[in-house]
C-alpha cells in the first residue's frame, strides 16, 4: 500500500486529502517510481481549484514533477531500468496520472534518467523551470543574443528559469516583480534590471532601459489588467508569449496599439516539446548541459514533508517565495 494525494471537490488547499492505495504493476509503456521528492507547480493549484486548461475528472489526483528510483517497468520500456534514478516532466494530463504519492505510475515518455549527482530535490526544480523558457526562447530561434526580454512574475520558478536561460543565450532579461522586496535576489540570480511594477512606472522604465525602443520579447504567465502595459512596453514588431493565466481578471487587449506596433501574441505551453521525442531530447540536453556548466542553477525556496502537503499548497498560493517549493517524501 502507498499513500497518495487526491481531492474530491474543487477548493482551497484544505480539499487535499491522503488515501492509501495499492499501486498497480506498470502497463507496457509505464514506469513505477518510488518517490523521493515532489516539485510544486502553480498549474497544480489551478487544477485543484478548477481553473486550469482542462476540467478535472473528480475525484482528482495531481502532480507533474517528481524524482525517485524506478521500482518497476513495463514490457516496452527500454530507456530506464529498475534501480535507476529518474525524474518526470510535465507531458501528460493530470486526469491520467498524478505524481503526488509515495509510489506512482508515470507514462514512460515523461521519465528521464539522470545521474545521481543531481539531488532528488534539485531534480524536481529543473524541467518545468527550464524547459518552459527553453522551448519559448530557443526553439524556433525566437529570442536572439542581444534581445531584451520582459519577465513578469520573475520570482516564480519559471521566472527564475527564464532569467537564466535568457542569460545563457545572450539575451537581456528585465525582471518584473510587484514590489522591491525581491529586487536584490533577482539581481543576484542574473536579472540585468528589475522593475517593481507597483512602485515604478513600468512602461517608462522599460523605455528608459531600451533607449525608447521597447522590449523585443515579453514572457507572460499572468495576463489580467496589466497586460496593456506589456503591450506598451513591447517594441514595434515584438512578440508577447503568454504561457499562463495567474490573474483571475479579464485581460484587456489594446487592439489599435497591437495593430500599430505589429506585435505578435502567442499562446504557448511546453507540452509540444515534452511530448515530441526529438524536441524533448534537445531540451533535456540543453538543461543538463546548462546545469553541468553552472549556467543554470536550481533555487529551492522552501522544503516541506509529505504530510504537510496542504501547508505547502498554502505557501504556493501566497506568491511570496523566490524559487521552487519542494516536498520531501
Amino acid at each position: 500500500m502507498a499513500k497518495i494525494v487526491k481531492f474530491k471537490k474543487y477548493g482551497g488547499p484544505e480539499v487535499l486529502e491522503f488515501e492509501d492505495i495499492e499501486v498497480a504493476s506498470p502497463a507496457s509503456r509505464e514506469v513505477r517510481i518510488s518517490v523521493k521528492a515532489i516539485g510544486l507547480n502553480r498549474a497544480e493549484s489551478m487544477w485543484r481549484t478548477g481553473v486550469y486548461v482542462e476540467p478535472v475528472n473528480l475525484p482528482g489526483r495531481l502532480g507533474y514533477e517528481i524524482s525517485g528510483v524506478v521500482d518497476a517497468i513495463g514490457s516496452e520500456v527500454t530507456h530506464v531500468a529498475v534501480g535507476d534514478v529518474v525524474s518526470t516532466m510535465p507531458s501528460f494530463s493530470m486526469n491520467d496520472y498524478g505524481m503526488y504519492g509515495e509510489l506512482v505510475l508515470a507514462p514512460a515518455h515523461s521519465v528521464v534518467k539522470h545521474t545521481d549527482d543531481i539531488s532528488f530535490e534539485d531534480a524536481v526544480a529543473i524541467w518545468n523551470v527550464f524547459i518552459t523558457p527553453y522551448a519559448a526562447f530557443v526553439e524556433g530561434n525566437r529570442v536572439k543574443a542581444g534581445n531584451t526580454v520582459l519577465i513578469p512574475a520573475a520570482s516564480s520558478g519559471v521566472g527564475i528559469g527564464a532569467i537564466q536561460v535568457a542569460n545563457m543565450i545572450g539575451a537581456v532579461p528585465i525582471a518584473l516583480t510587484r514590489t522591491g522586496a525581491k529586487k536584490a535576489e533577482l539581481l543576484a540570480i542574473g536579472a540585468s534590471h528589475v522593475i517593481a511594477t507597483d512602485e515604478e512606472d513600468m512602461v517608462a522604465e522599460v523605455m528608459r532601459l531600451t533607449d525608447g525602443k521597447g522590449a523585443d520579447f515579453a514572457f507572460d504567465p499572468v495576463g489580467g489588467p496589466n497586460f496593456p502595459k506589456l503591450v506598451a512596453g513591447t517594441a514595434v514588431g515584438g512578440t508577447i508569449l503568454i504561457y499562463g493565466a495567474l490573474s483571475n481578471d479579464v485581460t484587456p487587449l489594446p487592439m489599435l496599439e497591437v495593430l500599430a506596433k505589429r506585435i505578435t501574441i502567442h499562446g504557448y505551453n511546453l507540452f509540444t516539446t515534452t511530448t515530441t521525442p526529438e524536441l524533448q531530447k534537445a531540451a533535456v540536453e540543453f538543461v543538463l548541459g546548462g546545469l553541468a556548466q553552472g549556467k543554470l542553477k536550481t533555487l529551492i525556496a522552501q522544503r516541506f514533508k509529505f504530510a504537510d502537503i496542504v501547508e505547502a499548497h498554502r505557501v504556493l498560493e501566497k506568491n511570496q517565495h523566490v524559487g521552487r517549493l519542494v516536498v520531501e517524501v
Side-chain angles (χ1 to χ4, degrees):
M1 301 294 285
K3 198 174 296 295
I4 60 98
V5 177
K6 64 187 300 184
F7 60 104
K8 297 175 182 176
K9 61 181 180 180
Y10 295 137
E14 66 278 357
V15 302
L16 297 178
E17 56 187 56
F18 291 102
E19 181 177 328
D20 290 314
I21 67 168
E22 185 171 343
V23 181
S25 296
S28 61
R29 297 182 181 179
E30 291 181 332
V31 177
R32 193 167 66 189
I33 302 169
S34 176
V35 179
K36 302 299 182 184
I38 302 168
L40 302 191
N41 289 297
R42 277 303 302 266
E44 292 146 13
S45 170
M46 297 172 74
W47 179 256
R48 192 201 68 235
T49 55
V51 293
Y52 199 47
V53 293
E54 62 175 316
V56 182
N57 296 330
L58 294 169
R61 293 186 60 177
L62 71 173
Y64 278 129
E65 293 184 86
I66 56 96
S67 62
V69 178
V70 174
D71 174 77
I73 60 173
S75 59
E76 296 183 41
V77 177
T78 59
H79 71 296
V80 296
V82 172
D84 282 347
V85 176
V86 297
S87 55
T88 61
M89 62 175 63
S91 59
F92 50 85
S93 169
M94 287 186 283
N95 276 321
D96 298 324
Y97 296 93
M99 296 295 109
Y100 286 15
E102 295 173 328
L103 185 70
V104 299
L105 292 171
H109 70 265
S110 74
V111 179
V112 180
K113 177 183 176 181
H114 45 78
T115 56
D116 56 10
D117 59 348
I118 299 176
S119 71
F120 290 120
E121 290 78 14
D122 283 342
V124 295
I126 57 177
W127 299 129
N128 188 48
V129 166
F130 294 125
I131 289 182
T132 303
Y134 160 83
F137 298 174
V138 179
E139 284 181 11
N141 196 30
R142 282 193 182 102
V143 178
K144 301 172 179 62
N147 283 171
T148 303
V149 183
L150 298 181
I151 304 175
S155 62
S156 68
V158 174
I160 290 167
I163 291 170
Q164 295 184 54
V165 171
N167 281 324
M168 192 168 169
I169 61 177
V172 180
I174 299 179
L176 307 183
T177 185
R178 291 177 59 190
T179 72
K182 301 172 183 177
K183 183 173 183 176
E185 290 174 277
L186 291 170
L187 289 171
I189 289 162
S192 297
H193 310 280
V194 178
I195 301 174
T197 57
D198 285 357
E199 301 168 1
E200 303 174 77
D201 184 327
M202 189 272 281
V203 178
E205 277 298 291
V206 171
M207 290 302 172
R208 181 182 69 81
L209 294 170
T210 60
D211 295 324
K213 174 188 172 184
D216 301 290
F217 196 90
F219 190 50
D220 185 31
V222 182
N226 286 324
F227 188 76
K229 293 182 180 180
L230 278 188
V231 173
T234 300
V236 172
T239 298
I240 300 176
L241 195 147
I242 303 171
Y243 71 96
L246 295 179
S247 174
N248 293 322
D249 297 322
V250 172
T251 301
L253 183 65
M255 291 293 292
L256 294 178
E257 190 166 12
V258 170
L259 294 172
K261 296 172 77 171
R262 304 186 305 281
I263 290 174
T264 300
I265 300 174
H266 284 285
Y268 158 84
N269 65 58
L270 81 170
F271 280 77
T272 297
T273 299
T274 58
T275 59
T276 304
E278 61 272 20
L279 295 179
Q280 187 196 94
K281 182 175 184 292
V284 168
E285 290 175 351
F286 179 92
V287 173
L288 294 182
L291 291 169
Q293 297 165 32
K295 295 180 179 179
L296 302 179
K297 297 179 181 179
T298 58
L299 179 61
I300 297 174
Q302 194 170 345
R303 293 171 172 83
F304 299 85
K305 298 299 183 184
F306 188 44
D308 299 323
I309 192 71
V310 170
E311 178 59 23
H313 263 242
R314 289 196 179 106
V315 173
L316 178 67
E317 293 190 340
K318 289 178 182 177
N319 295 322
Q320 294 176 352
H321 57 285
V322 178
R324 188 71 150 171
L325 301 180
V326 172
V327 174
E328 300 170 335
V329 182

